Amino acid sequence: MTTGTFVLVAAAAIISLVAASSIPDSNGELPHNPLEHDSLHGKHFDAGEHNSQYDHESFLGADEAKKFDELTPEESKRRLGLIVDRIDADKNVFITLAELKAWIQYTQRRYIDEDVSRIWRQHNPDNNKTISWDVYRKSIYGFMDTLSKEELEHEEQGISYKSMLARDRRRWAVADRDLDDSLTIEEFTAFLHPEDHPTMRDVVLQETTDDLDKDKDGKISVDEYIGDMYRPSEPDEEEPEWVLSERESFSKHRDLDNDGYLTENEIRQWISPNDFDHAESEAKHLIFEADVDHDEQLTKEEILDKYDVFVGSQVTDFGEALARHDEF
Ligand SMILES: *[C@@H]1O[C@H](CO)[C@@H](O)[C@H](O)[C@H]1NC(C)=O
C-alpha cells in the first residue's frame, strides 16, 4: 500500500452532526455516539485526496489538533518546535522514521486513554471496577424512556434513536469478553475504540456495512461508497477531482473481483487490511512531505518549513490559545 494518501471517511462526522443537532441529553452534553470515536478508524485509501486534518490528528492526537486549529501560525510553529525536541529521542538533531512512528503511536495512545478515562469517570463516578449495561444505558439513552414509538423510530440519514441503541448494545456485547454484561475499563476501551481491537473486527465490519449499505442488499455499490464521503450541494454539481479518484480507487483497489460491489471479504480487506500499520504509514508520509534534501530523515527546519503539514490550521479566525501544561 502506498503511503500518504489518506482520506477520512466522512460518515462519522456526518452522523455526529445528526446526533448533535437532534439528541438532547440531561446535562446538556452530547450522548456518546459510538461512531464519533472512530476518527482514526482503519478506513484508508491508496488513492485520493490527501486529508491534512487526518495528518494533524495523527501527529497531535485528535484533541490537540483541535486546539492547534485556534492558534496563530507563529504560535503553532513555536509549539511545533517544542514537540520536535521531544520527538528527537536521541537528541541527535535528526527525526528518523522510528522516532516519528513512536511519536504517532504515543499521541494516539494518549488520545484514546484520555478519552476513555473521561467517559469512564462520567458514567462511573463511584469508580467501580465495572460499568453495567443497565447503568450505561440509563446514562446515555435514559431520555428515550419518555419518547413515543414514533420519536424513537424517526430516522435522520438512516439513523434513529432506536437504531443507535441497538448498535451500542451489540457493540457492548462483543466488548464484554467475560459475559457479565458489565465492562471493565479495558473492555470499555474496546467498546469506545474498537478500531484497535482484533476481537472487535467483526462488529466494526457489521457497523460499516450498516452505515454504507443504504439499499440494504448486503453489499456496497460504488455510489454507496462515494455517498459516504461526498454529497453534492446541488443536484447537478460536477464531482470534484478527488471524488473521481475515489471512484477509480473503488474499482482498482477495493472491488477486488470487479463485480461492481464490495462484498463482505472486500469490506473486511478495506477496513482492516492484514498488513497495514497506520503509524508507520503515516510517519513515512510525513517524512515524504517534508524531506526536502531526501535523506529520509527530518531536521527541525524541514519540519517547521512544512508546519502546515504537521499542525497548521485551515481556519483563518484564530481564537484563544489553549495550552496543554505538560508540553508548553
Ligand atoms: C457502584 O457500585 C455500588 C455498589 O455495588 C452500586 O450501588 C453503585 O450503583 C455503582 N455505581 C455505578 C455508577 O454503577
Side-chain angles (χ1 to χ4, degrees):
M1 177 165 306
T2 59
T3 59
T5 42
F6 293 81
V7 171
L8 256 187
V9 171
I14 291 166
I15 289 162
S16 29
L17 280 181
V18 173
S21 63
S22 58
I23 302 183
D25 186 37
S26 50
N27 55 13
E29 268 198 44
L30 290 180
H32 152 65
N33 172 357
L35 287 174
E36 220 169 75
H37 298 277
D38 293 351
S39 58
L40 286 175
H41 193 276
K43 293 175 182 174
H44 22 64
F45 298 80
D46 358 17
E49 182 89 336
H50 178 69
N51 184 321
S52 62
Q53 191 60 30
Y54 187 91
D55 286 340
H56 299 169
E57 291 187 2
S58 298
F59 184 75
L60 294 167
D63 45 356
E64 286 298 296
K66 281 197 199 88
K67 294 179 190 172
F68 268 80
D69 279 349
E70 296 172 5
L71 302 178
T72 61
E74 294 70 31
E75 180 62 9
S76 283
K77 279 190 194 172
R78 188 184 74 80
R79 294 190 183 193
L80 178 58
L82 298 177
I83 291 175
V84 172
D85 295 338
R86 291 190 57 190
I87 299 176
D88 184 17
D90 63 4
K91 307 291 171 213
N92 76 339
V93 184
F94 293 104
I95 303 295
T96 60
L97 177 66
E99 285 170 337
L100 200 49
K101 179 177 167 180
W103 171 261
I104 289 168
Q105 286 167 331
Y106 158 75
T107 58
Q108 192 176 356
R109 191 75 256 155
R110 181 186 65 192
Y111 168 65
I112 290 177
D113 288 349
E114 289 180 355
D115 188 55
V116 171
S117 305
R118 183 176 54 80
I119 299 171
W120 178 262
R121 282 195 303 271
Q122 196 180 325
H123 298 295
N124 184 12
D126 311 330
N127 200 22
N128 292 346
K129 283 260 177 309
T130 60
I131 303 181
S132 71
W133 167 253
D134 211 41
V135 164
Y136 182 78
R137 189 199 63 81
K138 281 209 185 80
S139 165
I140 297 287
Y141 296 104
F143 72 92
M144 286 172 52
D145 295 346
T146 60
L147 298 184
S148 68
K149 184 166 179 297
E150 209 166 58
E151 287 168 319
L152 291 176
E153 291 177 2
H154 171 74
E155 288 191 356
E156 266 176 60
Q157 298 184 18
I159 300 175
S160 64
Y161 294 140
K162 195 178 162 188
S163 70
M164 281 177 67
L165 173 62
R167 174 193 286 251
D168 254 11
R169 184 67 177 119
R170 180 174 65 190
R171 199 196 274 196
W172 184 280
V174 178
D176 177 24
R177 305 300 294 160
D178 61 1
L179 305 177
D180 61 356
D181 215 19
S182 294
L183 302 188
T184 62
I185 194 159
E186 289 77 24
E187 291 169 338
F188 196 60
T189 303
F191 172 72
L192 293 178
H193 292 278
E195 64 278 7
D196 294 333
H197 296 264
T199 53
M200 304 297 287
R201 268 197 194 148
D202 283 353
V203 74
V204 170
L205 175 79
Q206 190 62 55
E207 290 177 10
T208 306
T209 309
D210 291 350
D211 290 341
L212 271 62
D213 181 20
K214 299 293 183 210
D215 65 6
K216 303 295 163 207
D217 64 352
K219 49 192 187 178
I220 295 169
S221 68
V222 65
D223 287 333
E224 288 169 339
Y225 179 87
I226 296 296
D228 187 55
M229 43 189 134
Y230 166 75
R231 276 163 230 256
S233 39
E234 289 158 37
D236 53 358
E237 183 179 278
E238 201 176 311
E239 288 188 346
E241 194 61 37
W242 72 266
V243 174
L244 299 177
S245 104
E246 285 302 337
R247 285 186 182 277
E248 195 181 311
S249 165
F250 177 93
S251 33
K252 263 205 203 140
H253 305 292
R254 305 284 161 231
D255 179 17
L256 302 173
D257 65 2
N258 278 310
D259 69 347
Y261 295 95
L262 304 188
T263 48
E264 187 179 321
N265 277 333
E266 289 161 340
I267 302 169
R268 192 184 295 279
Q269 190 53 37
W270 167 38
I271 63 176
S272 48
N274 296 326
D275 57 354
F276 190 74
D277 180 340
H278 153 75
E280 169 141 348
S281 169
E282 184 62 15
K284 280 185 181 158
H285 162 65
L286 291 173
I287 290 183
F288 173 82
E289 290 287 329
D291 184 18
V292 174
D293 64 2
H294 304 290
D295 64 350
E296 296 184 3
Q297 49 190 359
L298 300 179
T299 59
K300 187 189 269 188
E301 196 183 9
E302 283 174 326
I303 293 176
L304 293 182
D305 279 351
K306 286 284 170 66
Y307 88 102
D308 56 315
V309 170
F310 293 83
V311 301
S313 171
Q314 311 301 303
V315 297
T316 47
D317 180 20
F318 300 108
E320 283 277 290
L322 292 160
R324 198 189 169 86
H325 301 297
D326 55 344
E327 267 165 29
F328 305 110

